[in-house]
Amino acid sequence: MEPSADALIAVVEDDDEIRRLVVGLLSREGYRVEEAQSGADLDAILARSVPELVILDLMLPGEDGLSICRRLRGHGGAVPILMLTAKSDAIDRVVGLEMGADDYLTKPFNPRELVARVRAILRRARGMGEAASSRRYAFEGLVIDLDARSLANREGEPVALTSAEFDLLACFVQRPRRVLTREQLLDWTRGRDASPFDRTIDMTISRLRKKIEAVAPGLALITTVRNNGYLFVATVKQLAP
């Protein structure tokens, strides 16, 4: 199921030319777009609406993109974030992914690639259609609801995951005790638009491991299979609706 074209997207970019380009591209695709030039402008947007995606420039006047990303994730916020970076910002891109950005795109970028990335992120965030509909699974004291896109511990307390982290966990839960290659995980979570050299899967797995460890100390659910990929070792039980 493709994401609805009327999704609300916030574009945070201080370069007028780039911002107009991105807004124009997305508007022509039928998306609703809110423009911002700074973190303060984004806060004003968030005060009146909840976007389904934030396209966030790394270098901004005042509060930079990394700080904004950290702030959005600081209270368990799960709105997807696509970070725009310059080619020279490799280290900052890694930091951005560690802070919870779902994807990044380097400038200058191909307009068609931007649109493809946006579609892929929105598709993931909306649960990949019927494949994630009305299903709940239990494993090692945790319960994941693919329809509600939520994860909770044995006490029923929610575990905050980013959109990318949730999508990755959903892939593992639906294919337990099976070695999954990085290419398979990229395809299932990001679609055919992903680059075979994309390292975001490794970054997301690292973050996911830390979050599971935080709520269930000593629980190592995702193991690395050398030269093959990753294995979800938990026993998964499907729960009744």
Side-chain angles (χ1 to χ4, degrees), residues 54-58 65-70 81-85 92-93 95-97 99 101-106 117 121:
V54 173
I55 298 178
L56 180 62
D57 184 32
L58 181 66
L66 291 178
S67 176
I68 294 172
C69 183
R70 183 192 301 113
I81 298 172
L82 171 61
M83 186 167 284
L84 299 181
T85 73
D92 287 333
R93 287 201 299 273
V95 174
L97 292 170
M99 287 181 179
D102 294 88
D103 200 356
Y104 69 85
L105 193 61
T106 56
R117 294 287 184 97
I121 293 173

Side-chain angles (χ1 to χ4, degrees), residues 13 45 52 64 68 70 80-81 94 130 139-140 142 148 156 161 169 178 194 196-197 199 205 219 224 227 234 240:
E13 169 63 70
I45 294 173
E52 292 187 48
D64 65 23
I68 294 172
R70 183 192 301 113
I81 298 172
V94 172
E130 295 180 359
F139 57 94
E140 301 293 343
L142 299 173
L161 298 179
L169 181 58
R178 169 181 164 189
F197 301 106
R199 307 304 298 183
I205 285 177
L219 197 59
T224 301
N227 298 325

Side-chain angles (χ1 to χ4, degrees), residues 35-114:
E35 299 182 50
Q37 299 183 53
S38 65
D41 289 347
L42 176 61
D43 289 341
I45 294 173
L46 296 175
R48 61 177 182 266
S49 57
V50 180
E52 292 187 48
L53 171 65
V54 173
I55 298 178
L56 180 62
D57 184 32
L58 181 66
M59 300 300 295
L60 292 169
E63 185 180 18
D64 65 23
L66 291 178
S67 176
I68 294 172
C69 183
R70 183 192 301 113
R71 187 157 56 83
L72 291 176
R73 291 291 181 250
H75 302 289
V79 58
I81 298 172
L82 171 61
M83 186 167 284
L84 299 181
T85 73
K87 286 186 178 296
S88 60
D89 297 326
I91 294 177
D92 287 333
R93 287 201 299 273
V94 172
V95 174
L97 292 170
E98 287 283 7
M99 287 181 179
D102 294 88
D103 200 356
Y104 69 85
L105 193 61
T106 56
K107 295 187 283 188
F109 51 81
N110 184 300
R112 293 180 61 184
E113 182 177 6
L114 172 68

